[in-house]
Amino acid sequence: MIEDRDPGRTEEPFRFEARLVDGDRSPLVVAVVVAAFVGLAFVKPWAPAAPPASPAGSAATEPAAAVPRPRDTPAPSPIGEAVLELCHDPLSWRTATIETWRDQTVRVWRAIEPAPASRPLDPSIPVVPAVGNAIAAIGYCAPTSGPDHPVGPANIHAWRIDGGAVQTLHLHQIAPVKDVSPYGALFGPPAELGSTTSWPNGRVVFRYEELGKAASVWFAIEVSGITADASSSPAPLP
């Protein structure tokens, strides 16, 4: 269990819980290390959602009748069900990643504060890590309320930094599957990077540009993959 405070929510601490599959708790130690490094992290097992296929020739079933919502139940989030499942209605900015640690594949959210910048190599761009044997997807979650939440459509651009070289990326969105939302998205490795299963090592810089606003904000994710025989868990962060 990781406790931290979210300045965008209340004065009281709130909790982040890591649930891992098969009872192997070794990645939890790493999650705590990562949390200490970036200030806030939320880890959850990942299972890509897929609609169940109907058997050939079978009749389609009627949808269940809608159950009236009790009066004291909060109204659904305005960000949409698909993004709500991905981001869990955050009140501040997060990076979102899918990381494999040994035999555990988890979703990880890390707190970040995007900042203005002038170019992908700008040293003022905030960076958080993504560490694992494989990094299947990286992305972001925007706040759903407060002064920084999006009020309209947005564009996001990305570049990969390897040493001093800058490479423009054509982002491949994998979640939400059909929605395009300013509130969040996950991106798989682009074809131009030569891998379809894991992001290669290097820094990926994002520019988030909300339409109608003159300024854009920038953030970056440092991908650090490890080999399966190098360590039983992700390498400690510097």
Side-chain angles (χ1 to χ4, degrees), residues 4-27:
D4 210 326
R5 295 180 183 269
D6 188 336
R9 189 182 295 270
T10 67
E11 292 297 327
E12 296 300 320
F14 64 100
R15 297 183 176 186
F16 291 93
E17 184 174 356
R19 291 190 178 92
L20 300 174
V21 199
D22 298 330
D24 186 349
R25 297 179 177 272
S26 59

Side-chain angles (χ1 to χ4, degrees), residues 8 77-80 83 87 89-94 112-114 140-154 181-184 208-213 215 217:
S77 170
I79 68 176
V83 182
C87 292
D89 219 356
L91 300 185
S92 59
W93 283 91
R94 307 278 191 268
I112 195 169
E113 295 184 10
Y140 72 98
C141 293
T144 57
S145 63
D148 295 330
H149 88 284
V151 295
S181 170
Y183 288 99
Y208 182 93
E209 179 183 28
E210 189 176 349
L211 303 183
K213 287 188 177 181
V217 293

Side-chain angles (χ1 to χ4, degrees), residues 47-76:
S54 300
S58 63
T61 58
E62 292 292 332
V67 178
R69 182 170 55 86
R71 292 182 180 180
D72 58 350
T73 302

Side-chain angles (χ1 to χ4, degrees), residues 185-196:
L186 276 176
F187 306 101
E192 58 261 37
L193 297 185
S195 172
T196 59

Side-chain angles (χ1 to χ4, degrees), residues 147-227:
D148 295 330
H149 88 284
V151 295
N155 290 327
I156 188 160
H157 307 273
W159 298 263
R160 180 170 180 263
I161 311 298
D162 189 6
V166 179
Q167 180 183 6
T168 301
L169 299 179
H170 299 89
L171 291 173
H172 168 51
Q173 181 172 314
I174 62 172
V177 176
K178 296 181 179 180
D179 294 347
V180 176
S181 170
Y183 288 99
L186 276 176
F187 306 101
E192 58 261 37
L193 297 185
S195 172
T196 59
T197 58
S198 178
W199 282 81
N201 288 359
R203 180 170 299 182
V204 181
V205 176
F206 294 93
R207 183 182 73 192
Y208 182 93
E209 179 183 28
E210 189 176 349
L211 303 183
K213 287 188 177 181
S216 56
V217 293
W218 300 63
F219 61 93
I221 298 175
E222 188 79 36
V223 178
S224 301
I226 61 172
T227 58

